[in-house]
Amino acid sequence: MAVRYIETCRLPTPFGVFEMHGFEESDTGKEHVALTLGDLAGDEPMLVRTHSECLTGDALYSMRCDCGYQLEEALRSIAREGRGILMYLRQEGRGIGLLNKIRAYNLQDHGADTVEANERLGFAADLRDYSMCKDMLEHLGIKRLRLMTNNPRKVKALSSYGIEVVERVELQVGRNPHNEHYLDTKQSKLGHFLAIHQDDDPQL
């Protein structure tokens, strides 16, 4: 999926002053951004998080998932390191969209797990596409990275596009009574690297 670079601006955040780079998919017009911090030059692998949009978790403080917690911890990790990239990808609900995500949540309210809910709606368990990351990273001059993820599919996907993932950095945060079953399902059915009895004390 080809994307084109649009523009860059300064973005002050509680975690540091980032640069925000805007990109647009050539075929669909869908918009994505990359937040960068520090000097991106050099041969050292870059600390990178690819984060798919989650309006409920990222903006509305939902405790049904770990997305908002992961977003904040990724930005903190980049700030601690002094350099890194967070790519924010507009593919809500593992690619099914916001309204279908609400439908899936309703099914979960009535006993389905996160995989079963997507399948009952006629979707695959995970429809996300990471091909846009190749053009975004190439624009930023990044070929080797340390990827913050618990999802082995992300490592495999980026590697298939010729991006060298030299290390997977775990990002286990935000377990709480509202998302325990969700996280356990990601571990058991989607193969995510998660500790089922992870002991977190999430703070919003």
Side-chain angles (χ1 to χ4, degrees):
M1 181 182 302
V3 298
R4 63 188 185 98
Y5 166 71
I6 302 299
E7 189 56 273
T8 296
C9 71
R10 181 174 167 272
L11 186 71
T13 78
F15 312 101
V17 180
F18 288 77
E19 297 230 310
M20 182 165 65
H21 311 266
F23 299 86
E24 182 181 63
E25 291 182 12
S26 302
D27 294 340
T28 67
K30 190 177 291 186
E31 300 163 343
H32 310 284
V33 299
L35 303 186
T36 65
L37 183 72
D39 185 0
L40 303 186
D43 295 328
E44 287 297 311
M46 185 66 58
L47 184 64
V48 174
R49 165 72 177 166
T50 63
H51 188 91
S52 295
E53 178 181 42
C54 176
L55 178 69
T56 50
D58 298 341
L60 301 179
Y61 305 103
S62 170
M63 298 176 71
R64 297 186 67 137
C65 64
D66 56 343
C67 302
Y69 304 109
Q70 288 188 318
L71 176 62
E72 290 191 12
E73 184 58 29
L75 291 171
R76 287 193 189 97
S77 296
I78 290 169
R80 283 194 296 264
E81 185 132 329
R83 65 196 294 262
I85 301 170
L86 185 138
M87 293 188 291
Y88 197 86
L89 311 176
R90 307 296 301 280
Q91 41 189 2
E92 180 79 45
R94 288 200 221 112
I96 67 175
L98 179 59
L99 297 183
N100 282 322
K101 177 180 176 179
I102 294 172
R103 293 185 178 100
Y105 274 174
N106 177 265
L107 291 172
Q108 291 172 48
D109 288 342
H110 292 85
D113 65 35
T114 183
V115 171
E116 292 166 347
N118 275 27
E119 290 174 344
R120 288 184 193 178
L121 292 172
F123 300 110
D126 192 341
L127 290 174
R128 288 175 295 181
D129 178 12
Y130 299 103
S131 58
M132 74 288 285
C133 297
K134 180 178 185 294
D135 288 346
M136 294 170 71
L137 288 169
E138 282 184 355
H139 174 82
L140 298 170
I142 306 302
K143 293 185 178 178
R144 304 173 68 236
L145 49 89
R146 296 160 50 225
L147 187 65
M148 287 187 279
T149 187
N150 304 318
N151 184 355
R153 182 173 177 262
K154 286 186 184 180
V155 177
K156 183 177 180 181
L158 294 183
S159 298
S160 73
Y161 303 130
I163 299 163
E164 185 181 355
V165 180
V166 303
E167 180 186 359
R168 184 188 68 83
V169 180
E170 72 172 29
L171 196 59
Q172 295 198 47
V173 290
R175 178 177 285 267
N176 66 71
H178 302 283
N179 67 18
E180 281 187 326
H181 184 53
Y182 163 81
L183 293 177
D184 292 348
T185 300
K186 288 207 298 185
Q187 196 261 4
S188 63
K189 291 191 173 181
L190 298 176
H192 287 216
F193 299 109
L194 291 168
I196 285 185
H197 299 294
Q198 173 192 345
D199 183 17
D200 280 334
D201 180 17
Q203 299 293 323
L204 285 176

